[in-house]
């Protein structure tokens, strides 16, 4: 039987790496799009090349979401059955520093792919997945967000992803493209980028434990996030494209924790006994064993405006996709710690 072909934009990212492995195990041929960088940045997918059973079906090609011609060329060359758009300037805080670039990649980049599908007359041949985010809910007052919750984005990143969401809906309705939006809540893993808060906390506390760092500096300790495991979430992306009809789905765990709660759990598992002292920007976590300060707050890690509370209601995905998360926050933290201990940075 002919193998299905997937084209993944953002293959070098956390989700790109998990999705590649997932699809290769399902017997797909996977083409991954990487950008040119001055230093090799394929660490997350290098082990696929080392896997004799996977490497012959995994091909990396250069491309960029800011370059329409590269997108059309890649689609013509690879003739995909499914396109996964995971590429983005994905850091919320950084999007305040580079708002125009974030919009170019995240919003117009999505439009460029959809428009290439349409202009190449491949509407009936290609299924499209768009990596949407709970950041689109932003400052919503709803306490359990689902597909019907109104968007109220609170960063250039969130706003850029709202454009991507609606242009995906628009091309689905206007041109009958099989296009789905996943509205994914935060998902993490041992290969999460080092500047996202979960990886930063675990990496920082282990460095402190090993004597390689003195303190960990964080921003807002009181925002709440619904954290799942990336490995569960890429399965949901694939499931969306296997349905009879294209649609949009919220993917989350339905549980939410503050950054402080995440840090407390991680610290305990790493072997610290901590207590919190002070208030606001002066709040600190102290190691009870020696009275040393382990965690401090720093103004530079706060955002101009914060998304205070996210909790995802994935009932629709549960019912239609038969999807539910397999990993708890504790499994996730354990796995992240184990990886960091084996691969100290
Ligand atoms: P990530 O680790 O930051 O990966 C982003 C990927 O996009 C990287 O491969 C990056 O390439 C690539 N990229 C950036 N700019 C590009 C451009 N101009 N052209 C082509 N590729 C470009 O993000 P992730 O956590 O895997 O997330 C995947 C997607 O899901 C993103 O769209 C993100 O916004 C969205 N999302 C993530 C979460 C989450 O919690 N992880 C939740 C909801 C939605 P380099 O490696 O070269 O930088
Ligand atoms: O880990 P974060 O940077 O993730 P954030 O902003 O929730 O965004 C991630 O999840 C989104 C899904 O909802 C994705 F769409 C997006 O691409 C990305 O993957 O920050 C989480 C929370 C924030 O409230 C932030 O203010 O942690 C708080 N925080 C506190 N101290 C910190 C820090 N965040 C970071 N990155 N670094 C800190 O030192």
């Amino acid at each position: 039987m002919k193998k299905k072909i997937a084209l993944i934009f953002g293959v070098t990212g956390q989700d790109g790496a998990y999705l590649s492995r997932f699809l290769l195990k399902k017997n797909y041929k996977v083409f991954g799009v990487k950008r040119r960088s001055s230093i090799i940045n394929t660490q997350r997918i290098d082990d696929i090349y080392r896997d004799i059973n996977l490497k012959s079906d995994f091909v990396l090609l250069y491309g960029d979401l800011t370059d329409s011609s590269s997108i059309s060329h890649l689609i013509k060359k690879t003739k995909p059955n499914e396109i996964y758009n995971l590429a983005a300037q994905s850091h919320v805080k950084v999007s305040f520093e580079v708002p125009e670039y974030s919009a170019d990649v995240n919003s117009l980049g999505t439009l460029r792919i959809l428009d290439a599908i349409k202009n190449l007359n491949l509407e009936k041949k290609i299924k499209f997945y768009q990596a949407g985010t709970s950041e689109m809910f932003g400052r919503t007052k709803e306490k359990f967000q689902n597909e019907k919750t109104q968007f109220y984005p609170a960063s250039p990143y969130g706003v850029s992803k709202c454009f991507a969401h609606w242009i995906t809906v628009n091309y689905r309705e206007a041109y009958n493209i099989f296009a789905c939006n996943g509205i994914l809540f935060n998902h993490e893993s041992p290969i999460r980028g080092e500047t996202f808060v979960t990886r930063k906390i675990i990496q920082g506390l282990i460095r402190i434990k090993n004597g390689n760092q003195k303190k960990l500096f964080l921003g807002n300790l009181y925002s709440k996030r619904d954290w799942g495991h990336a490995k569960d979430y890429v399965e949901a992306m694939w499931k969306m494209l296997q349905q009879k009809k294209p649609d949009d789905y919220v993917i989350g765990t339905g549980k939410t924790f503050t950054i402080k709660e995440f840090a407390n759990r991680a610290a305990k598992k790493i072997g610290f006994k901590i207590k919190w002292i002070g208030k606001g920007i002066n709040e600190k976590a102290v190691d009870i064993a020696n009275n040393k300060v382990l965690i401090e707050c720093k103004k530079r890690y706060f955002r101009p405006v914060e998304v205070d509370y996210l909790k995802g209601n994935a009932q629709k995905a549960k019912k239609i996709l038969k999807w539910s998360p397999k990993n708890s926050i504790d499994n996730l933290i354990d796995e992240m710690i184990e990886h960091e201990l084996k691969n100290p940075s």
Side-chain angles (χ1 to χ4, degrees), residues 222-237:
Y222 292 98
S223 51
K224 292 186 110 175
R225 290 291 181 273
D226 175 340
W227 282 295
H229 196 306
K231 141 171 104 185
D232 292 340
Y233 286 41
V234 299
E235 183 179 11
M237 298 174 188

Side-chain angles (χ1 to χ4, degrees), residues 82-98:
E82 295 171 9
I83 296 181
Y84 294 86
N85 178 27
L86 311 181
Q89 190 306 90
S90 74
H91 202 284
V92 173
K93 172 76 167 38
V94 173
S95 78
F96 288 98
E97 326 290 329
V98 288

Side-chain angles (χ1 to χ4, degrees), residues 89-93 132-136 157 161 184-188 192 195-198 200 217-221 223-225 227 259 301-303 306-308 310:
Q89 190 306 90
S90 74
H91 202 284
V92 173
K93 172 76 167 38
T133 163
S134 49
E135 277 294 304
M136 297 187 295
Y157 171 79
K161 286 284 187 171
L184 273 52
F185 282 65
N186 297 51
H187 46 280
E188 321 291 310
R192 180 62 144 151
T195 60
F196 295 98
V197 78
T198 55
K200 184 175 164 182
F217 293 98
L218 296 176
N220 182 7
L221 300 170
S223 51
K224 292 186 110 175
R225 290 291 181 273
W227 282 295
I259 311 306
Y301 296 116
F302 285 76
R303 292 153 190 204
E306 179 62 278
V307 170
D308 292 321
L310 291 174

